[in-house]
Amino acid sequence: MQGYIVSRILLMIPTLLGVAIITFILLRMVPGDVVQLKLAGDGGNVAAEVIQAERARLGLDKPLLAQFFDWIWGAVRFDFGLSMWTGRPIIQEVLIRLELSVQLTIMATLIATVLALPLGILAAVKRDTWIDYAVRIFSIAGLAIPSFWLGIVLILVLLIAFQYSPPLSFTPFFKDPVENLSQLIWPALAVGYRYSAVATRMTRSTLLEVMREDYVRTARAKGLRESLVVVRHALRNAFLPVVTVIGLEFAFLLGGLLVTEQVFNLNGIGKLMVEAVLRRDYTMTQALILLVASVFVLVNFLVDLLYVWLDPRVSYR
Amino acid sequence: MADVTTTAGLGPGPTASRRAVRGPRWLSQVTKFARRRTLGFAGGVVVVLMLLLAVFAPIVSPYDPEESSFLDQLKPPSREHLLGTDQFGRDVMSRLIYGAQTALVVGFGASVAGCSAGAILGLVGAYKGGKTDLLLERLNDVILSFPLIILAVAVVAALGTGLLNVIIAITIPIIPRVARVIRSSGLTLRQMQYVEAARALGVSDTRIIFRHLMPNVVAPYLILLSAFLGQAILLESSLSFLGLGVAEPKPAWGLMLRGAGVQFLEQAPWLAIAPGVAISAAVFAFNLLGDSLRDAFDPKLRV
């Protein structure tokens, strides 16, 4: 087991290194850089020397390989440098926004789980009835409706029905929980509904598979109530894939909030990323992509470890 | 798309229809598909409808989608403009119809390219094994650790906006996802005797992959294709919504929601409704179709 954990952690290194290399190359393919955009962007004529000096200050005049190693060496020590656009430390810029994004991710995952588990179970138990069909349509719709549009519709409904529009500035949870929740519940719903769809379908299909197993038949044969058969015997065994899906969604969400944050005008990681990309802020974009990818790889690993705890049959050598 | 609906009728089950249906064979298969998989058939109908709208857009749409008129800015739905007009006085209905072209071109382009490249890479990995397989798998891992939308955004950032670049940006994240599924089918195919026989006859690797393995993954390929079509359309609309997709004045559904949809929400809510309904209906239809294709061909496949 310890050997497995160590090897998995070691395997993360080449993956993340690959992510870093691809990100670095992709960004350097972009025509024009941050200096051009920042200085010459307003149509003002800036002397070539000034542009050169600024490039040198940001280290953009060094050979690509040197730039890459500088960045990687920093990243290894958790020093991501300064944002090329604002000039402030990236860690600082990210930390301000991380609270909002993490909270939103947690809320959306909670909503997704709370929706998905009962719906998925219901659909599996009432297989091929109208309930099953209704749940399936509900979940396929969740996959089809873009979360940003659902967000727009939610804002519209709130506006028309309650003359309420979400506040423009973010209130931290510990400052005023009510204010905070009333602001974040709508984007969380918009995103959570979408992510519940995948988990609902997974719950339904794995539960249906498990219900065919011998031990479920045994449980029924000994006269156990159907609800107990489902909850105690079937559900526990159907849980693994569901946990995987929920875990992966959690990891994806952190980066996937990109569009929803835009709709609700929330100043989170996603919005920062879009801005960084549009401004050719290399250092910021690189750091953010690496952050999201690391979270993804890490959660993936934790989900695998969770398996062992949830299912004694699973063991890693 | 019509041919996909008909091939869907070729799914497993009794081939001999109890009732003799008059008309050509494919028609009876379509009716059988409609009876057995009502939801999937409904999805297929919407898809066909969307295709027709896109192809006949110049005939069907009442106005030029890019023509602005300063006298008709932000008009609510009326008899002249069934879905109203936007902030430039352009007819929303016409933009919606032409938007179907954009969505379908990007959707088909990206999913066909992504699924084909993914299938080839998956089969190469499965067939060659060893170092090639390991390398491809690692590369897949790397690409899979980017969330879909973030990778697409990064690619658009690198290549710039525009129709072709958006297609490329959506193709790349599809490739490893398809490669993974096809690789696992390829691993069992490799053990087959006809592959061994071909190899013993001295058939080249390329030929084995394309002539012997490829035809046997057509079913998962088609299923994946229909599954990613919906996703590609959704991704295109997200990119356009972020301003990283198709550029104005070209009509695209996500673009119609950007700016106007949010900015004039109170003043002109119709701007925010119609494109969203169009995106949802299109993706919904493709998902329904894809789901029933999967159920018909290969219920165990996890997409």
Side-chain angles (χ1 to χ4, degrees):
Chain A
M1 188 67 197
Q2 267 153 5
Y4 172 77
I5 293 177
V6 171
S7 73
R8 275 294 297 267
I9 292 175
L10 286 180
L11 259 180
M12 283 179 199
I13 296 170
T15 307
L16 290 178
L17 197 65
V19 169
I21 293 173
I22 290 183
T23 313
F24 189 87
I25 295 173
L26 268 179
L27 289 178
R28 292 322 192 266
M29 281 165 64
V30 190
D33 61 21
V34 64
V35 179
Q36 262 178 355
L37 221 62
K38 210 163 145 188
L39 295 179
D42 307 322
N45 260 332
V46 183
E49 298 90 71
V50 180
I51 290 186
Q52 275 314 322
E54 181 70 6
R55 282 211 176 114
R57 195 179 65 82
L58 294 173
L60 285 174
D61 57 343
K62 286 190 207 165
L64 281 185
L65 215 57
Q67 283 186 41
F68 180 72
F69 282 115
D70 279 355
W71 174 55
I72 286 290
W73 177 232
V76 170
R77 294 170 294 144
F78 291 102
D79 173 14
F80 293 96
L82 308 175
S83 159
M84 285 185 177
W85 185 267
T86 61
R88 269 180 293 191
I90 286 180
I91 296 267
Q92 197 186 323
E93 295 262 9
V94 170
L95 281 182
I96 306 174
R97 294 162 173 92
L98 201 59
E99 186 191 338
L100 185 147
S101 292
V102 168
Q103 194 195 339
L104 199 51
T105 305
I106 294 174
M107 284 173 71
T109 311
L110 277 179
I111 290 174
T113 317
V114 166
L115 272 176
L117 284 182
L119 285 180
I121 295 170
L122 204 62
V125 173
K126 307 271 179 198
R127 188 187 186 181
D128 288 330
T129 63
W130 66 269
I131 298 178
D132 183 22
Y133 285 121
V135 169
R136 278 169 73 186
I137 290 177
F138 181 75
S139 65
I140 300 180
L143 288 178
I145 298 173
S147 52
F148 61 87
W149 183 60
L150 194 60
I152 294 177
V153 172
L154 274 176
I155 294 179
L156 191 64
V157 169
L158 290 174
L159 206 65
I160 292 172
F162 305 103
Q163 274 81 47
Y164 168 86
S165 64
L168 290 174
S169 61
F170 173 62
T171 321
F173 182 75
F174 294 106
K175 206 168 139 205
D176 185 351
V178 179
E179 177 77 28
N180 168 283
L181 288 180
S182 71
Q183 180 181 13
L184 288 189
I185 189 75
W186 309 110
L189 264 177
V191 183
Y193 171 41
R194 175 176 176 72
Y195 281 87
S196 77
V198 189
T200 306
R201 285 151 63 98
M202 191 51 108
T203 310
R204 176 181 178 274
S205 65
T206 46
L207 198 57
L208 280 179
E209 248 166 61
V210 171
M211 292 292 265
R212 266 181 249 131
E213 298 278 344
D214 284 344
Y215 52 78
V216 171
R217 196 180 321 142
T218 312
R220 278 189 182 139
K222 71 181 185 191
L224 211 57
R225 261 187 298 135
E226 186 64 19
S227 57
L228 275 182
V229 173
V230 172
V231 173
R232 275 224 196 118
H233 293 258
L235 197 59
R236 283 186 68 166
N237 288 291
F239 222 57
L240 279 189
V242 177
V243 168
T244 318
V245 168
I246 292 173
L248 293 188
E249 274 169 11
F250 180 83
F252 269 130
L253 261 175
L254 197 58
L257 290 171
L258 220 69
V259 199
T260 312
E261 284 181 356
Q262 213 78 12
V263 175
F264 287 90
N265 207 6
L266 293 170
N267 198 7
I269 297 290
K271 197 160 182 244
L272 188 65
M273 170 107 61
V274 175
E275 280 168 6
V277 164
L278 290 174
R279 287 169 178 167
R280 313 255 184 281
D281 190 343
Y282 294 156
T283 43
M284 180 64 88
T285 317
Q286 283 167 184
L288 284 176
I289 292 183
L290 202 60
L291 171 78
V292 172
S294 310
V295 170
F296 178 74
V297 173
L298 205 67
V299 171
N300 226 333
F301 169 60
L302 291 178
V303 166
D304 279 355
L305 286 188
L306 203 62
Y307 271 21
V308 183
W309 183 62
L310 279 175
D311 188 344
R313 284 173 305 183
V314 179
S315 72
Y316 302 110
R317 272 140 277 119
Chain B
M1 208 60 217
D3 54 351
V4 172
T5 348
T6 43
T7 42
L10 290 167
T15 32
S17 181
R18 253 173 285 145
R19 262 196 297 159
V21 184
R22 274 185 298 148
R25 202 171 123 83
W26 65 268
L27 198 68
S28 76
Q29 270 159 352
V30 170
T31 47
K32 202 173 88 188
F33 184 71
R35 258 208 323 276
R36 284 177 147 203
R37 309 200 181 274
T38 325
L39 281 180
F41 183 72
V45 169
V46 174
V47 167
V48 171
L49 215 69
M50 189 176 153
L51 268 168
L52 290 176
L53 270 183
V55 170
F56 296 109
I59 303 168
V60 190
S61 69
Y63 297 89
D64 180 345
E66 297 182 15
E67 192 189 85
S68 48
S69 150
F70 289 101
L71 292 173
D72 295 317
Q73 284 170 4
L74 294 174
K75 285 269 157 65
S78 64
R79 196 170 294 170
E80 288 86 56
H81 298 281
L82 281 177
L83 293 174
T85 60
D86 67 5
Q87 74 273 33
F88 300 110
R90 298 176 300 199
D91 182 47
V92 172
M93 181 81 171
S94 307
R95 289 185 70 71
L96 212 60
I97 294 172
Y98 274 91
Q101 284 185 347
T102 312
L104 284 173
V105 166
V106 175
F108 271 100
S111 51
V112 168
C115 289
S116 306
I120 293 172
L121 287 179
L123 285 181
V124 168
Y127 179 72
K128 292 263 184 180
K131 278 209 180 102
T132 320
D133 191 30
L134 197 72
L135 191 76
L136 285 174
E137 278 288 278
R138 293 277 79 190
L139 203 63
N140 276 351
D141 276 351
V142 171
I143 300 183
L144 284 173
S145 34
F146 289 92
L148 212 74
I149 179 94
I150 288 182
L151 186 56
V153 165
V155 175
V156 170
L159 302 175
T161 55
L163 201 62
L164 185 67
N165 292 344
V166 171
I167 294 178
I168 297 173
I170 299 174
T171 301
I172 292 175
I174 293 178
I175 295 174
R177 290 169 170 81
V178 174
R180 186 138 290 182
V181 179
I182 299 286
R183 178 180 171 271
S184 60
S185 326
L187 285 178
T188 41
L189 286 178
R190 196 180 58 163
Q191 315 285 338
M192 294 288 172
Q193 273 185 340
Y194 58 81
V195 176
E196 207 177 314
R199 203 147 40 165
L201 284 170
V203 178
S204 74
D205 286 354
T206 328
R207 204 178 152 80
I208 290 182
I209 287 171
F210 280 94
R211 297 300 292 270
H212 297 265
L213 297 181
M214 205 64 123
N216 287 295
V217 292
V218 167
Y221 176 85
L222 281 181
I223 296 164
L224 287 164
L225 189 70
S226 61
F228 279 111
L229 257 163
Q231 286 225 36
I233 291 176
L234 202 60
L235 212 52
E236 183 271 321
S237 70
S238 307
L239 285 176
S240 297
F241 179 77
L242 288 174
L244 293 165
V246 181
E248 288 274 14
K250 206 166 171 46
W253 295 336
L255 200 58
M256 292 169 75
L257 287 174
R258 177 187 168 73
V262 184
Q263 224 177 312
F264 303 105
L265 201 53
E266 228 167 327
Q267 239 179 309
W270 59 89
L271 288 180
I273 300 301
V277 172
I279 300 171
S280 310
V283 180
F284 192 66
F286 275 112
N287 284 352
L288 282 181
L289 186 65
D291 260 26
S292 20
L293 285 183
R294 185 196 54 199
D295 288 351
F297 280 118
D298 193 354
K300 287 224 145 160
L301 195 77
R302 290 256 161 81
V303 179

